[in-house]
Amino acid sequence: MTLNFTKSELSKIMAFLGPYITPKTPTISIRILKGGMLELFASAGMADGGSALVRVPCNKSASIPTWKYVDGPTLQGVISNADEGAIALDFGETAVTIKTSPRSTHELIYVLAERNEVKFTEPSATLKGKDLNLIAMMTEAASTDEARPGLTGIYLAARKNEIEAAAADGYMLSFTSIQAQDIESPGTVYSVKALNRAKRAIKASNDEEVKVGFALEGKGIVPGLVLSVERDGTQVLLHVPKMDGMFPDYKTITKNAPKGIQVEIETSIMEKWLKRANAVEGNVFFQALNGFLWFMARNEDEGQSVDSLAINVKDESVVMHYAASLLKDTLKACAANGKIKLTFPAASNSPMLFDGEASVIAMPLVSDLKESPFKNLQPALI
């Protein structure tokens, strides 16, 4: 059975599957269903790696209902190195023959493989691409400590026409709510690795529609989150596995979020300050004082750098003390897009609130300062 495509069409298909082709899981499953539907399946691991199914109309009456397995990297190489134009795939009994030009033919022998198949349910609710990208960015707050499985994933719950999302590592908590119609699901922890792999696979634009559903029970169901996009007649289904462990009751923390002095700052300015903090490899201190937001990176051995920014806040806040690395992760986890709002707590040993597209509550380092390091500093003229 021969199927004809262009290099562009096959390259797009392989782009969806590429993130799921790994050294441990190199095979791609291929079959043709009755009614003319080519299906390609790849999985980076059922436990936490995620899976992808691509469905492409092929206008064939005959079928190959049994999965055939080919080496993914080899198929990727043949397609990427092919000349622009038509490519023919001829499925035989023992191999698929790929004709990339009148003088270039490649034979990929089917490999032996045993793999579980993910039964994809059709998702019904719809998100915007920007919402999926936001949730993926929030995973910067997730823990990498396998001893705390409830914190190594992203928590998602669907209720009251919205999806609640949260991620935490014990020192920072990222959270938000996203509008989504006609969807209900209990709070569950999902694989961060698989969610970010799905984001890379589809590269959704901000306004693109991404269908979403939760498959948590049913015969043959691998519990998880199902995402789907459709482009030029090709459907892509992505599976994000459910993880073990219970996520803590994070709302008890968000209810007590600080409500003190607020300062809004451009993200680019904070990023520049953090680059200077990285240069001296120091921890950072910052404070709202005398109409300025002050920022200091200090290293006892290397010295310090000081920055200031005029703000429309005359009140004096407490001095906050953070590791530069945690502050950098916080900016990512709150998806600071253009501007970030800082809400200072009442005490320097209490968590601070950072608001971007999402919100992050971050616990500071203990500070032994007796007084503000900015007390007698002179701001720059310009």
Side-chain angles (χ1 to χ4, degrees):
M1 182 185 300
T2 301
L3 301 180
N4 295 303
F5 294 95
T6 64
K7 178 181 178 178
S8 176
E9 291 170 335
L10 289 177
S11 296
K12 290 177 181 178
I13 293 172
M14 296 308 298
F16 294 130
L17 298 174
Y20 299 87
I21 301 171
T22 72
K24 290 185 177 180
T25 59
T27 58
I28 294 176
S29 309
I30 303 176
R31 67 181 179 184
I32 301 173
L33 301 180
K34 288 183 179 180
M37 184 66 70
L38 171 67
E39 290 193 339
L40 302 97
F41 174 83
S43 178
M46 299 293 182
D48 66 352
S51 305
L53 176 67
V54 180
R55 291 173 173 161
V56 186
C58 59
N59 300 319
K60 289 290 181 180
S61 56
S63 65
I64 304 175
T66 304
W67 288 109
K68 304 293 184 182
Y69 305 100
V70 298
D71 183 72
T74 302
L75 181 58
Q76 285 178 311
V78 170
I79 293 172
S80 64
N81 291 306
D83 295 335
E84 297 296 332
I87 297 178
L89 306 181
D90 185 11
F91 293 90
E93 290 295 324
T94 60
V96 55
T97 301
I98 305 174
K99 191 171 184 179
T100 57
S101 74
R103 295 178 299 277
S104 182
T105 301
H106 311 267
E107 186 177 71
L108 272 64
I109 297 174
Y110 300 138
V111 298
L112 296 176
E114 291 185 6
R115 70 190 320 174
N116 295 323
E117 180 185 354
V118 173
K119 183 178 179 181
F120 285 90
T121 58
E122 291 287 347
S124 57
T126 302
L127 297 178
K128 291 294 186 181
K130 64 179 181 180
D131 297 327
L132 173 62
N133 296 333
L134 170 60
I135 294 173
M137 291 183 70
M138 291 173 58
T139 63
E140 289 288 342
S143 175
T144 57
D145 184 358
E146 294 183 358
R148 307 185 70 182
L151 297 182
T152 58
I154 177 88
Y155 171 88
L156 299 174
R159 56 176 68 94
K160 296 182 179 178
N161 295 325
E162 67 179 16
I163 293 178
E164 299 171 356
D169 68 355
Y171 297 96
M172 60 177 166
L173 165 67
S174 179
F175 61 97
T176 195
S177 294
I178 296 168
Q179 291 186 346
Q181 302 294 325
D182 302 323
I183 187 170
E184 290 283 338
S185 181
T188 307
V189 180
Y190 298 90
S191 168
V192 164
K193 291 180 182 178
L195 180 64
N196 283 296
R197 187 170 276 117
K199 176 191 173 184
R200 294 197 306 272
I202 60 176
K203 296 180 175 65
S205 62
N206 284 339
D207 293 328
E208 183 175 11
E209 288 192 350
V210 180
K211 290 187 177 180
V212 58
F214 297 88
L216 299 181
E217 57 184 23
K219 186 177 180 180
I221 292 293
V222 178
L225 172 72
V226 180
L227 303 169
S228 175
V229 295
E230 187 169 329
R231 295 175 184 164
D232 300 324
T234 295
Q235 183 186 26
V236 185
L237 289 157
L238 306 169
H239 184 264
V240 180
K242 171 184 176 296
M243 303 293 289
D244 294 329
M246 296 292 293
F247 198 79
D249 181 11
Y250 73 96
K251 291 187 177 181
T252 60
I253 299 174
T254 61
K255 286 179 181 178
N256 296 313
K259 300 178 176 63
I261 294 172
Q262 293 185 338
V263 175
E264 190 171 74
I265 180 174
E266 292 182 9
T267 309
S268 59
I269 293 175
M270 181 67 80
E271 289 172 342
K272 289 178 182 178
W273 290 356
L274 282 172
K275 286 182 180 179
R276 286 196 273 274
N278 288 332
V280 299
E281 298 182 350
N283 290 335
V284 299
F285 299 84
F286 52 96
Q287 179 186 23
L289 177 67
N290 297 331
F292 286 85
L293 178 65
W294 295 90
F295 186 94
M296 174 185 290
R298 175 184 289 178
N299 183 314
E300 293 183 359
D301 297 323
E302 301 293 334
Q304 65 184 33
S305 68
V306 179
D307 291 278
S308 63
L309 177 71
I311 55 176
N312 294 320
V313 176
K314 301 302 180 183
D315 295 331
E316 179 179 342
S317 74
V318 296
V319 179
M320 301 305 296
H321 180 203
Y322 281 97
S325 58
L326 188 142
L327 201 55
K328 183 179 179 180
D329 289 342
T330 296
L331 289 182
K332 293 179 181 177
C334 74
N337 184 15
K339 292 183 180 295
I340 181 172
K341 184 167 67 176
L342 314 176
T343 303
F344 287 84
S348 62
N349 61 351
S350 297
M352 188 171 185
L353 178 64
F354 300 78
D355 285 308
E357 296 295 324
S359 299
V360 173
I361 296 176
M363 196 69 192
L365 295 171
V366 174
S367 174
D368 57 0
L369 294 175
K370 302 302 182 183
E371 64 177 2
S372 168
F374 309 107
K375 183 177 180 180
N376 299 313
L377 293 183
Q378 178 69 34
L381 177 64
I382 297 178

